[in-house]
Amino acid sequence: MNRSRTPFTLALTIVATMTLTSCSQEAIDPSEFVYAEDGRLYFANGDELSLWGVNLQPCLSWEYHSLFKLIGLPETAETLKKATDDALDEIEKMRCDVIRAHLVPSDFADQDGNLVETVYLDLLDYMVAEAAKRDIYVYLSFLNPHMSYDIDVEDPSQHSPSVVPDTFLNDFERKELTIDPVFIEKSKTYVTQLLNRRNPYNQKTYKNTPEIALWEIANEPIYYSYKEIKETRNYDVFKKWAKDAGLEDNEESYFKFRHDRTLEYINAMYDTVRATGTVQPIVWNCNWHRMIRGRRDVFDAIAKSKVEVVSFCNYPGQSILKRPYTKNPEDLSRHDFADFLRKSYTEKDWYDWALTPEFMKKAKVVYEFETFYNYSSYLYPAQAEFFRAMGVQSATMWHYSMPAYAPYRNGSHHLSLTSTPPKAMAYAIAGQTFRNTPLYHDYDTESPTEKIGENVMYSYAKDASLYSDADNYLHTGDVSSEQLPKPHQSVKRITGLGSSPLVEYTGTGIYSVEISEDKIDITIEANATHLKPLWGKDFLKEIVTQLDYETAHPFELKLDNWSASGSKVSRIEANGGSSVPLIGDKLKFEALPGRYTISR
């Protein structure tokens, strides 16, 4: 991913390189990295950044104990690396180009914040290196101080011990992140050691890995209210601050304290990262919509801070269900979220703060989002257009269901190429929509869930979406020849589910078609049958989605510049290939799930 820059940017790079070399043992060339400038993010070659992907987290013990373990897989590096490879292969097929993981230091940091070699640190190294091989960027959040896994999924109050028993996280609460000086110093040690760590799989230090696009200081930081802090050991810290400042012990003074401490913390952690020579843009996490309510002091501090990027999440439907929602699931697939998107864009207590002059100086990313108990085909593309209107340049869904356990999974957050085909196709369409929609475009608040444009269609009413341009055609479900936007005959990549003017197929798996001058490569995923509702609460106890690799369906390509005459179809298998007969005088054959090549 080494890219060149404009002469002006290159001149700045030369100065920065000289400076970094003088203060670090390792020379870092900023011209190889994603960078921020004037409230926007750019690839190293100067092109405006646009990344679409998922949260992927084989490097979290939470992932193993909450998911892998429940289907009987061993907690070994070999098992988890194989699962990582399979997941990266799938998200690459879905055209994702970024993965995010929020790290839990209790998986590999001791009482003082020093790194400890564990299977999960090894998995982090492996995931970063393997993603880069596929041209997939990585976005890492240093601190998730609150994510523990459940011994009994039915009883979330029961938690397992941390991987490193004496980790420094055991001594602190989540809300102490920005306040407690001991916690802050140990966090700095951990962050510094991680950035200076040399990854054995690519022989690069983390700070000198251009494939890491963004560093985020903490995942979903939360803050004490005045009432809350009075019940904690941190109350003395506030009282001393107020006394030294000549202020009363009241809520107004506390808001000033919280503002100052938040600003000091963000800048101190920013400086810690930069002291290592790290050049990637740094992110501060602004949490969920309406987080600003009662916390304008915090948001004012964020706006003033040194970080170049802010992040937020987006979960339409999360506030609808009765809590705990894992025990009270509902199918929200046929809920129209037009009003949610409208309010998200226009309401000051929702996300409108991101469009204020203070925050226009910061680049924006969405660290997590999901359609939430929603398996529709329209909502992902609608979210993509909303994100671009907000100035978002990277968006990562929470969180991708890895192939090893995906057939056993359902619930609130479940996306899988093979186990949720309509939703996965909508996700791929949303990615194309995201990349091809201008930043800060004029957002349609009148009808945010119904659109037919030059390149994209999505519809709540039809529960459908598609994308078409000169090179790409993507669709969910059967599409008629009259449906706009129509496919181009010059198309080079087709990804679909069902039939369209270009492909006739009755299987229930996604297919992808890559067209070149003298060859067509086809991949057909397994037929998927849902044995239980995808929105249910089965907790990986038995199969939810049956994947069928043994049933064939006719597959027909309808391309003006390709004919059956002189064409040969081959099935690609591990031990070579085998010829597949065409049906009649059409470019049509019986297709089992798998890989095929058509040659002239």
Side-chain angles (χ1 to χ4, degrees):
M1 297 184 184
N2 189 0
R3 299 174 174 90
S4 61
R5 292 194 185 174
T6 63
F8 173 73
T9 310
L10 185 59
L12 295 178
T13 295
I14 294 170
V15 174
T17 304
M18 293 171 61
T19 302
L20 290 170
T21 304
S22 65
C23 66
S24 173
Q25 293 182 346
E26 183 175 25
I28 296 175
D29 181 1
S31 69
E32 297 181 348
F33 290 78
V34 167
Y35 65 99
E37 195 172 274
D38 297 330
R40 297 201 180 196
L41 296 168
Y42 298 89
F43 290 112
N45 67 350
D47 291 342
E48 198 171 81
L49 186 98
S50 181
L51 295 174
W52 184 259
V54 298
N55 278 257
L56 189 71
Q57 49 192 41
C59 52
L60 272 67
S61 62
W62 179 91
E63 181 88 2
Y64 174 76
H65 287 275
S66 296
L67 297 163
F68 287 102
K69 185 177 180 178
L70 299 187
I71 61 168
L73 292 178
E75 191 179 19
T76 64
E78 182 180 8
T79 297
L80 295 175
K81 287 176 182 176
K82 172 65 165 58
T84 302
D85 290 337
D86 292 343
L88 288 170
D89 288 345
E90 282 200 355
I91 66 173
E92 187 177 18
K93 290 179 182 178
M94 289 171 61
R95 308 190 188 188
C96 294
D97 45 23
V98 62
I99 57 173
R100 177 183 180 267
H102 49 65
L103 308 180
V104 182
S106 56
D107 287 339
F108 40 72
D110 69 12
Q111 178 64 34
D112 297 314
N114 300 305
L115 293 185
V116 177
E117 296 295 333
T118 68
V119 66
Y120 295 105
L121 185 55
D122 183 39
L123 259 295
L124 175 61
D125 293 337
Y126 185 80
M127 181 186 75
V128 170
E130 288 300 312
K133 290 178 182 178
R134 296 165 171 82
D135 286 338
I136 296 174
Y137 281 95
V138 179
Y139 163 13
L140 294 176
S141 187
F142 290 117
L143 289 160
N144 187 351
H146 68 284
M147 195 168 197
S148 59
Y149 49 85
D150 303 329
I151 295 175
D152 182 356
V153 180
E154 297 286 0
D155 184 4
S157 66
Q158 300 297 312
H159 298 297
S160 296
S162 59
V163 174
V164 181
D166 60 346
T167 179
F168 72 98
L169 291 185
N170 289 344
D171 300 330
F172 302 96
E173 294 182 1
R174 182 181 174 192
K175 291 184 179 180
E176 294 182 290
L177 178 76
T178 62
I179 296 176
D180 191 284
V182 177
F183 181 80
I184 292 170
E185 288 308 308
K186 291 181 178 183
S187 297
K188 289 179 179 179
T189 298
Y190 153 70
V191 167
T192 299
Q193 289 194 12
L194 181 62
L195 290 169
N196 285 321
R197 175 178 176 79
R198 190 167 297 278
N199 186 331
Y201 294 101
N202 61 16
Q203 297 305 313
K204 298 176 182 179
T205 59
Y206 274 75
K207 66 186 177 185
N208 203 6
T209 302
E211 295 83 9
I212 298 177
L214 300 166
W215 290 106
E216 187 173 63
I217 295 171
N219 182 73
E220 294 186 346
I222 54 177
Y223 312 87
Y224 288 120
S225 68
Y226 177 58
K227 180 180 179 181
E228 288 171 337
I229 201 168
K230 292 172 74 172
E231 304 299 323
T232 74
R233 60 188 176 186
N234 296 287
Y235 186 38
D236 289 338
V237 179
F238 162 61
K239 286 195 297 183
K240 183 180 184 306
W241 176 91
K243 182 179 179 181
D244 292 345
L247 298 173
E248 297 292 324
D249 179 353
N250 56 31
E251 188 172 58
E252 182 181 0
S253 296
Y254 176 68
F255 286 158
K256 293 178 181 178
F257 166 80
R258 191 168 65 175
H259 168 278
D260 289 357
R261 277 305 171 103
T262 301
L263 179 58
E264 288 171 10
Y265 175 80
I266 297 173
N267 286 346
M269 295 302 290
Y270 181 95
D271 290 343
T272 298
V273 174
R274 291 286 178 248
T276 67
T278 301
V279 299
Q280 293 102 323
I282 300 174
V283 184
W284 184 255
N285 189 301
C286 295
N287 303 72
W288 45 86
H289 74 288
R290 294 179 284 194
M291 180 69 177
I292 196 171
R293 291 182 179 178
R295 302 176 188 88
R296 292 190 178 274
D297 55 305
V298 170
F299 277 71
D300 183 47
I302 297 168
K304 293 175 182 174
S305 72
K306 295 179 180 180
V307 295
E308 299 90 359
V309 190
V310 292
S311 63
F312 58 85
C313 67
N314 188 255
Y315 283 105
Q318 192 169 38
S319 60
I320 293 176
L321 301 188
K322 179 182 177 183
R323 291 183 178 272
Y325 55 75
T326 53
K327 294 187 176 182
N328 298 280
E330 295 180 27
D331 183 7
L332 299 179
S333 299
R334 295 313 301 146
H335 184 96
D336 186 354
F337 284 98
D339 192 53
F340 175 90
L341 294 171
R342 187 179 300 115
K343 288 181 177 178
S344 293
Y345 187 71
T346 60
E347 296 286 333
K348 293 188 181 301
D349 282 356
W350 288 47
Y351 298 107
D352 184 63
W353 57 265
L355 301 177
T356 61
E358 296 79 12
F359 279 98
M360 288 298 288
K361 299 173 185 176
K362 309 283 189 188
K364 286 101 181 174
V365 299
V366 168
Y367 69 96
E368 292 175 15
F369 70 99
E370 176 53 342
T371 55
F372 201 77
Y373 287 111
N374 188 317
Y375 292 87
S376 67
S377 294
Y378 83 94
L379 190 49
Y380 277 143
Q383 281 179 294
E385 288 222 328
F386 163 68
F387 293 159
R388 295 299 278 176
M390 296 296 300
V392 172
Q393 294 186 256
S394 174
T396 45
M397 172 267 176
W398 168 268
H399 80 286
Y400 191 73
S401 294
M402 298 175 75
Y405 59 74
Y408 295 85
R409 195 175 189 204
N410 56 10
S412 59
H413 305 69
H414 179 31
L415 173 65
S416 164
L417 174 74
T418 51
S419 293
T420 66
K423 187 177 180 182
M425 271 311 311
Y427 198 79
I429 291 165
Q432 292 297 112
T433 303
F434 183 85
R435 297 181 189 97
N436 290 280
T437 302
L439 280 183
Y440 299 110
H441 69 101
D442 187 14
Y443 188 56
D444 179 11
T445 56
E446 291 298 315
S447 184
T449 56
E450 299 287 340
K451 176 170 183 174
I452 299 179
E454 180 180 354
N455 298 114
V456 65
M457 179 279 291
Y458 52 83
S459 170
Y460 159 76
K462 296 178 180 178
D463 190 22
S465 57
L466 68 86
Y467 179 91
S468 178
D469 63 28
D471 295 328
N472 300 279
Y473 188 74
L474 299 86
H475 71 97
T476 59
D478 293 339
V479 178
S480 74
S481 59
E482 302 304 314
Q483 178 61 62
L484 298 174
K486 293 184 178 182
H488 297 249
Q489 279 297 324
S490 62
V491 67
K492 296 179 176 62
R493 302 176 72 189
I494 305 167
T495 308
L497 179 66
S499 296
S500 75
L502 300 177
V503 175
E504 188 82 21
Y505 182 61
T506 58
T508 56
I510 288 172
Y511 55 82
S512 61
V513 182
E514 300 276 345
I515 304 166
S516 61
E517 191 66 31
D518 55 7
K519 187 177 71 166
I520 299 176
D521 292 314
I522 301 169
T523 301
I524 301 174
E525 304 299 336
N527 295 291
T529 302
H530 303 305
L531 306 179
K532 293 173 174 288
L534 286 176
W535 53 271
K537 56 172 184 176
D538 294 284
F539 296 116
L540 291 91
K541 293 177 179 176
E542 53 191 18
I543 291 286
V544 172
T545 303
Q546 186 73 54
L547 300 180
D548 170 15
Y549 294 88
E550 306 300 325
T551 301
H553 294 272
F555 186 93
E556 181 182 357
L557 273 173
K558 303 175 181 179
L559 302 173
D560 288 349
N561 55 350
W562 274 82
S563 68
S565 177
S567 293
K568 177 184 177 182
V569 181
S570 300
R571 179 176 168 85
I572 309 302
E573 299 171 305
N575 58 354
S578 57
S579 181
V580 178
L582 288 170
I583 298 173
D585 59 354
K586 299 178 180 179
L587 208 58
K588 181 178 181 179
F589 59 97
E590 287 289 329
L592 288 166
R595 294 172 56 214
Y596 299 85
T597 295
I598 301 176
S599 55
R600 293 189 191 274

